[in-house]
């Protein structure tokens, strides 16, 4: 009996001493987009794990072109190998409606984050994802190519100049170029040699993507889909979107000022090589372009003449998989990434995307560190986020909308008639949305 009691005591002590190790030694897996996003996330992971040595976080990166499909498949299959997932803002509703994401831990204090960004992470009044950052789109232009062509460049922010938030606000409110001005300049800046284009006038960074192109039609007065989230007829095929689609079609065909089928990152590469005079892209290009030696300026994102100024917004969120067995630990990292002073600063410094942290936004607007170029470009992002930003539509069928939209705009760039491409997109989306709604 004494031997049994002693053995029991030893086993109980062993069990008690093992519990903390089991509770602390955790490995979390997170799927992210490869490239700069993975590098930035690794910097945050390193900062977090330095203070939490019992937690290991493995990043599983996928190329941008494959990420959405991979995330969909792995979440839908309840893959227990995912704890944390990078979530594009408009996909929160789609993921949450199908039970892919766990509701955010109610103890996480989000008061330091921009309310609109918090709301975009909700579905059916429940928080399912936390915003990592927002985004700002601008017009990059090569000053030398404009000067060589004898064309006046847009008003913008350039090297050697400083700008207060008030001055940037004036730039955004009164000196913004129209899409018509972009097209006119682009035609003069496009150079051909023996039938081959050696210098393009303009392009967009994200070829055919709804995120970047949504303001085209909506600047002319019509949303991409109806508020019900499932109706596209009368919206995506409206007069406004036909005009926007015609403009897009002409960039690649009638005017031939834009290169077709650019992959992600290729616009910045062409611009850095002096083969592209202008491109619309995200502020995350600033550190990339600063290393090219190109003398460039940054102007506000354009709008159609007579239309409303609208700019892309929204970016990546972090969610915790409903299939994860490590939800408490995953939410602790998500909290560090999105709400802590250290986590938000590490991310901003690494990726150069517009924050959703109110203390960081206040610092951008007021600190002298952001007076000079290129840091003052973030003040343009602050202006647009407060005055012109338009979120993508909230619909459980966002993935289907994105696919239909992309197909239509790729087709138009390749010469398909605008009305045909838009009509096909309407039919494709509404059929898919009806299946999602069932």
């Amino acid at each position: 009996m004494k031997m049994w009691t002693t053995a029991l005591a030893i086993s109980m002590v062993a069990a008690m001493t093992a519990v903390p190790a089991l509770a602390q030694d955790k490995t979390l897996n997170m799927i992210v987009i490869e490239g700069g996003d993975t590098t930035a996330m690794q910097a945050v992971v390193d900062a977090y794990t330095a203070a939490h040595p019992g937690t290991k976080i493995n990043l599983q990166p996928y190329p941008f072109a494959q990420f959405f499909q991979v995330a969909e498949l792995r979440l839908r299959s309840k893959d227990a190998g995912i704890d944390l997932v990078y979530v594009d803002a408009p996909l929160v509703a789609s993921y949450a409606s199908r039970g892919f994401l766990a509701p955010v831990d109610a103890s996480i204090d989000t008061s330091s984050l921009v309310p609109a960004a918090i709301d975009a992470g909700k579905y059916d009044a429940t928080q399912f994802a936390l915003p990592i950052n927002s985004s700002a789109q601008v017009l990059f232009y090569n000053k030398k190519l404009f000067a060589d062509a004898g064309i006046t460049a847009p008003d913008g922010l350039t090297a050697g100049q400083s700008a207060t938030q008030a001055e940037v606000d004036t730039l955004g409110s009164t000196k913004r170029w129209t899409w018509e001005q972009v097209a006119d300049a682009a035609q003069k800046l496009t150079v051909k040699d023996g039938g081959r284009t050696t210098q393009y006038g303009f392009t967009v960074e994200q070829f055919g993507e709804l995120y970047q192109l949504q303001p085209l039609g909506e600047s002319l007065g019509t949303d991409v889909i109806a508020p019900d989230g499932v109706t596209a007829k009368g919206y995506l095929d409206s007069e406004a979107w036909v005009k926007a689609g015609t403009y897009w079609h002409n960039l690649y065909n009638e005017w031939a000022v834009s290169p077709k089928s650019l992959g992600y990152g290729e616009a910045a590469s062409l611009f850095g090589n002096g083969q592209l005079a202008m491109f619309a892209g995200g502020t995350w290009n600033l550190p990339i372009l600063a290393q090219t030696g190109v003398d460039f300026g940054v102007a506000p994102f354009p709008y159609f003449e007579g239309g409303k100024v609208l700019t892309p917004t929204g970016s990546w969120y972090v969610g915790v998989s409903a299939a994860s067995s490590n939800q408490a630990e995953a939410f602790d990292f998500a909290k560090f990434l999105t709400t802590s002073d250290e986590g938000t600063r590490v991310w901003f410094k690494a990726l150069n995307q517009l924050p959703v942290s109110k203390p960081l936004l206040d610092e951008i607007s007021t600190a002298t560190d952001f007076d000079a170029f290129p840091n003052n470009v973030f003040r343009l992002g602050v202006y647009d986020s407060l005055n012109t930003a338009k979120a993508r539509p909230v619909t459980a069928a966002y993935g289907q909308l994105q696919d239909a939209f992309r197909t239509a705009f790729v087709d138009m760039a390749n010469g398909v008639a605008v009305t045909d491409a838009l009509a096909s997109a309407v039919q494709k989306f509404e059929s898919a949305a009806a299946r999602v709604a069932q």
Side-chain angles (χ1 to χ4, degrees):
M1 184 68 148
K2 183 176 181 180
M3 291 178 61
W4 181 87
T5 305
T6 301
L8 178 60
I10 291 173
S11 64
M12 289 179 64
V13 170
M16 290 173 64
T17 56
V19 169
L22 289 173
Q24 294 176 6
D25 294 342
K26 291 284 187 178
T27 297
L28 306 178
N29 296 304
M30 181 178 188
I31 55 173
V32 294
I33 291 175
E34 71 177 14
D37 296 70
T38 298
T39 301
M41 191 63 72
Q42 188 62 58
V44 180
V45 166
D46 291 344
Y48 178 82
T49 54
H52 301 79
T55 301
K56 181 180 180 181
I57 301 176
N58 290 328
L59 300 182
Q60 300 177 4
Y62 294 95
F64 181 84
Q66 300 172 13
F67 179 82
F68 297 102
Q69 182 180 13
V70 171
E72 171 76 21
L73 290 173
R74 295 191 67 182
L75 289 170
R76 188 169 59 194
S77 67
K78 296 180 171 52
D79 186 342
I82 299 177
D83 299 292
L84 293 140
V85 59
Y86 223 32
V87 185
D88 198 11
L91 285 173
V92 172
S94 176
Y95 289 174
S97 67
R98 290 179 288 165
F100 293 172
L101 302 177
V104 171
D105 186 338
S107 69
I108 296 178
D109 181 7
T110 59
S111 61
S112 64
L113 304 179
V114 174
I118 286 295
D119 289 343
K122 293 180 180 178
Y123 175 72
D124 199 20
T126 299
Q127 194 81 42
F128 280 96
L130 295 171
I132 304 173
N133 53 259
S134 188
S135 61
Q137 288 283 311
V138 295
L139 180 67
F140 294 95
Y141 59 94
N142 185 314
K143 294 170 63 178
K144 182 179 184 301
L145 296 185
F146 270 83
D148 289 349
I151 302 172
T152 301
D155 288 302
L157 304 170
T158 61
Q161 299 179 354
S162 62
T164 65
Q165 183 67 59
E167 290 169 333
V168 172
D169 291 352
T170 298
L171 173 66
S173 60
T174 66
K175 299 181 179 180
R176 191 181 297 259
W177 261 24
T178 63
W179 286 118
E180 289 85 356
Q181 287 175 291
V182 170
D184 181 63
Q187 291 172 73
K188 297 171 183 175
L189 289 161
T190 297
V191 177
K192 296 183 182 294
D193 182 10
R196 184 174 67 90
T197 302
T198 57
Q199 177 180 302
Y200 288 96
F202 169 75
T203 194
V204 298
E205 180 178 25
Q206 296 186 18
F207 180 74
E209 294 298 323
L210 176 59
Y211 161 73
Q212 193 163 35
L213 302 181
Q214 182 183 346
L216 289 179
E218 295 196 348
S219 171
L220 294 167
T222 304
D223 288 345
V224 67
I225 59 172
D228 64 11
V230 296
T231 302
K233 188 167 183 57
Y235 291 82
L236 187 51
D237 58 355
S238 66
E239 182 180 345
W241 276 102
V242 169
K243 180 177 178 179
T246 301
Y247 181 89
W248 174 261
H249 182 279
N250 289 343
L251 288 174
Y252 297 92
N253 297 283
E254 182 176 337
W255 305 324
V257 299
S258 300
K260 295 183 180 182
S261 302
L262 281 185
Y264 190 74
E266 292 186 60
S269 180
L270 283 176
F271 188 86
N273 292 334
Q275 298 172 277
L276 176 64
M278 295 179 286
F279 79 97
T283 54
W284 51 82
N285 289 289
L286 289 170
I288 299 171
L289 299 181
Q291 297 175 11
T292 64
V294 172
D295 185 13
F296 68 95
V298 178
F301 191 83
Y303 71 107
F304 277 114
E305 182 178 353
K308 184 177 181 180
V309 178
L310 293 174
T311 57
T313 191
S315 191
W316 293 97
Y317 283 59
V318 60
V320 172
S321 171
S324 169
S325 59
N326 304 309
Q327 292 185 9
E329 293 80 5
F331 275 122
D332 193 65
F333 174 72
K335 178 175 69 173
F336 176 83
L337 169 65
T338 61
T339 67
S340 74
D341 182 72
E342 182 181 6
T344 55
R345 286 179 182 278
V346 168
W347 179 263
F348 175 56
K349 183 177 180 180
L351 200 60
N352 286 274
Q353 288 208 43
L354 190 69
V356 289
S357 163
K358 289 188 286 188
L360 268 178
L361 289 172
D362 290 342
E363 185 175 318
I364 289 171
S365 294
T366 59
T368 56
D369 289 348
F370 290 88
D371 286 348
F373 185 84
N375 283 349
N376 54 19
V377 175
F378 290 102
R379 289 181 170 169
L380 185 55
V382 171
Y383 172 82
D384 278 343
S385 68
L386 296 175
N387 296 278
T388 67
K390 176 70 181 293
R392 283 163 283 178
V394 176
T395 170
Y398 181 79
Q400 291 76 11
L401 173 63
Q402 186 170 247
D403 288 344
F405 186 96
R406 183 189 299 114
T407 298
F409 275 75
V410 169
D411 284 349
M412 286 186 281
N414 287 323
V416 173
V418 173
T419 53
D420 291 344
L422 293 178
S424 178
V426 167
Q427 190 277 328
K428 181 179 180 181
F429 167 69
E430 290 190 345
S431 295
R435 292 193 296 271
V436 170
Q438 291 177 351

